[in-house]
Amino acid sequence: MWGCGALCGARAPAQLQRCLLPASRRHRQPAAASFSASAEPSRVRALVYGNHGDPAKVVELKNLELAAMGGSDVHVKMLAAPINPSDINMIQGNYGYLPPLPAVGGNEGVGQVVAVGSHVTRVKPGDWVIPTNVGLGTWRTEAVFSEEALLGVPKDIPLLSAATLCVNPCTAYRMLMDFEQLRPGDSVIQNASNSGVGQAVIQIAAALGLRTINVVRDRPDIQKLIDRLKNLGADHVVTEEELRKHELKNLFKNMPQPRLALNCVGGKSSTELLRRLAPGGTMVTYGGMAKQPVVASVSLLIFKNLKIRGFWMSKWKEDHSPDQFKELILTLCHLIRRGQLTAPACSEVPLQDYQRALEASMQPFVSSKQILTMC
Ligand SMILES: NC(=O)c1ccc[n+]([C@@H]2O[C@H](COP(=O)([O-])OP(=O)(O)OC[C@H]3O[C@@H](n4cnc5c(N)ncnc54)[C@H](OP(=O)(O)O)[C@@H]3O)[C@@H](O)[C@H]2O)c1
């Protein structure tokens, strides 16, 4: 079946291969008696890659056939799905989890349930659902996924918030909660602060009463970006160059030195974050946008006893129960409803214009998340 949660990795490779055969080369699946889906095969459009490489070259828009449903399956019409750096890395073959090929791209998004199998208990037709794990393959118009690959989300939050909920805001929240015991008034420093994660960090930190020092790369329209991040709740926004200057020390006359630094970049930028940490503080690396290693000064490690840690949301999910993940999602939905957490700045792009969206997602200084819309 083409839709299979298929590419969510839970099924056997042979079946995956069958899933990716063009509709013309496959027989129609018999309809299972136990579900309420239409037995008519429907045309599914999906962004598929058969080899790892440059996304502009290896990703293709293909027509697939919708799978037959089993009793534990859910037929989902996808509504919107972002293009995140991890999706790009996965297509390039540089990610911690690589689904078997060929695969449908996309790890995040929101869909609406069309029909459910007879054993499905947690979602019903009309509900919105998001992936519970990486590798689902969300860049497609519809699919049949297994119930366990999905989590229902409330429909009273904006669609774009739901489409971008399960990766970046979750990562931001966990990093703020799990590494240092921060109290209202404490401060956090981060780089790539205009990233999806960075915007979530600013907003969640503000909701928790934490102050943020936000580092971004300089650009011609920097004031526009500073204003935008301050509108989200950023206390300070500084450029990478300003971060290196001695005068930045003045900032800490009015606020405590940060005990937590969130590193999305690596290289020199991470070395500077470490320099600004309070003694005993922690730097958590969750991204490597500069593609350079973290370099830590020996004296800072010895005399300030800094801690250097890493975080991967997928590992957190592996180590926690589905109920704990659900609780995290509901906490974030609560912040969204209260207006304390909005979707990142984004550009909506119809699925058929995916090449434009892929290209934009790999350009520097865009400051806008590309969201594929499926209608
Ligand atoms: N570990 C985890 O569990 C986890 C979870 C979510 C995300 N992530 C990772 O976090 C990172 C950000 O993801 P996202 O979805 O938030 O990204 P995003 O919204 O696409 O933003 C990308 C960010 O990276 C910056 N950037 C790009 N190239 C850079 C470079 N060479 N040097 C410095 N900054 C650079 C961009 O800044 P400009 O505007 O200056 O270009 C922008 O701030 C990715 O590496 C992603 O894989 C990890």
Side-chain angles (χ1 to χ4, degrees), residues 85 168 171 194-197 217 219 286 289 311 313 365 369:
N168 291 341
T171 301
N194 59 328
S195 66
V197 177
R217 294 198 290 182
R219 65 203 68 213
Y286 67 95
M289 295 304 299
F311 179 78
M313 192 61 215
F365 308 119
K369 179 78 64 194

Side-chain angles (χ1 to χ4, degrees), residues 83-86 89 95 167-168 171 192-199 216-219 225 240 264-265 285-291 311-314 344 361 363-367 369:
I83 301 179
N84 287 322
S86 53
N89 295 153
Y95 196 66
V167 179
N168 291 341
T171 301
S193 309
N194 59 328
S195 66
V197 177
Q199 293 173 64
V216 292
R217 294 198 290 182
D218 201 2
R219 65 203 68 213
L225 180 59
E240 294 279 357
C264 171
V265 176
T285 292
Y286 67 95
M289 295 304 299
K291 297 189 173 16
F311 179 78
W312 190 26
M313 192 61 215
S314 299
S361 75
Q363 292 300 316
F365 308 119
V366 172
S367 292
K369 179 78 64 194

Side-chain angles (χ1 to χ4, degrees), residues 16-242:
L16 289 171
Q17 294 308 317
R18 185 177 62 77
C19 288
L20 289 167
L21 282 175
S24 58
R25 288 177 54 200
R26 293 195 293 112
H27 297 294
R28 195 173 131 191
Q29 297 277 326
S34 58
F35 63 90
S36 53
S38 153
E40 285 305 308
S42 97
R43 207 179 75 129
V44 176
R45 284 170 306 141
L47 296 181
V48 179
Y49 57 103
N51 297 294
H52 292 133
D54 177 359
K57 294 194 178 123
V58 297
V59 175
E60 291 174 280
L61 184 59
K62 291 202 167 179
N63 287 329
L64 311 176
E65 188 183 300
L66 189 68
M69 274 203 356
S72 303
D73 289 338
V74 179
H75 176 189
V76 177
K77 201 169 173 43
M78 289 305 300
L79 301 173
I83 301 179
N84 287 322
S86 53
D87 303 325
I88 299 295
N89 295 153
M90 200 176 258
I91 294 166
Q92 291 166 332
N94 305 322
Y95 196 66
Y97 167 80
L98 297 175
L101 300 181
V104 174
N107 292 290
E108 195 182 22
V110 62
Q112 184 154 36
V113 174
V114 176
V116 299
S118 60
H119 307 315
V120 170
T121 54
R122 292 194 298 267
V123 293
K124 58 182 189 315
D127 285 356
W128 280 1
V129 287
I130 60 173
T132 52
N133 258 312
V134 282
L136 193 67
T138 52
W139 297 346
R140 50 178 137 192
T141 51
E142 53 189 305
V144 172
F145 296 120
S146 69
E147 181 186 19
E148 67 188 18
L150 302 169
L151 176 69
V153 287
K155 280 165 77 178
D156 61 354
I157 61 170
L159 182 82
L160 292 179
S161 292
T164 54
L165 184 58
C166 73
V167 179
N168 291 341
C170 291
T171 301
Y173 187 86
R174 292 275 47 114
M175 293 192 300
L176 288 170
M177 300 304 284
D178 297 348
F179 291 89
E180 287 285 338
Q181 285 207 327
L182 301 173
R183 289 189 205 88
D186 283 347
S187 71
V188 175
I189 190 165
Q190 63 164 343
N191 55 20
S193 309
N194 59 328
S195 66
V197 177
Q199 293 173 64
V201 164
I202 291 170
Q203 296 178 84
I204 297 168
L208 296 170
L210 302 172
R211 292 185 274 177
T212 54
I213 302 146
N214 300 282
V215 185
V216 292
R217 294 198 290 182
D218 201 2
R219 65 203 68 213
D221 55 352
I222 184 75
Q223 193 56 46
K224 214 166 120 193
L225 180 59
I226 293 174
D227 293 345
R228 186 149 71 75
L229 297 185
K230 285 200 167 174
N231 273 338
L232 289 179
D235 292 271
H236 298 282
V237 182
V238 297
T239 63
E240 294 279 357
E241 292 72 22
E242 287 166 339

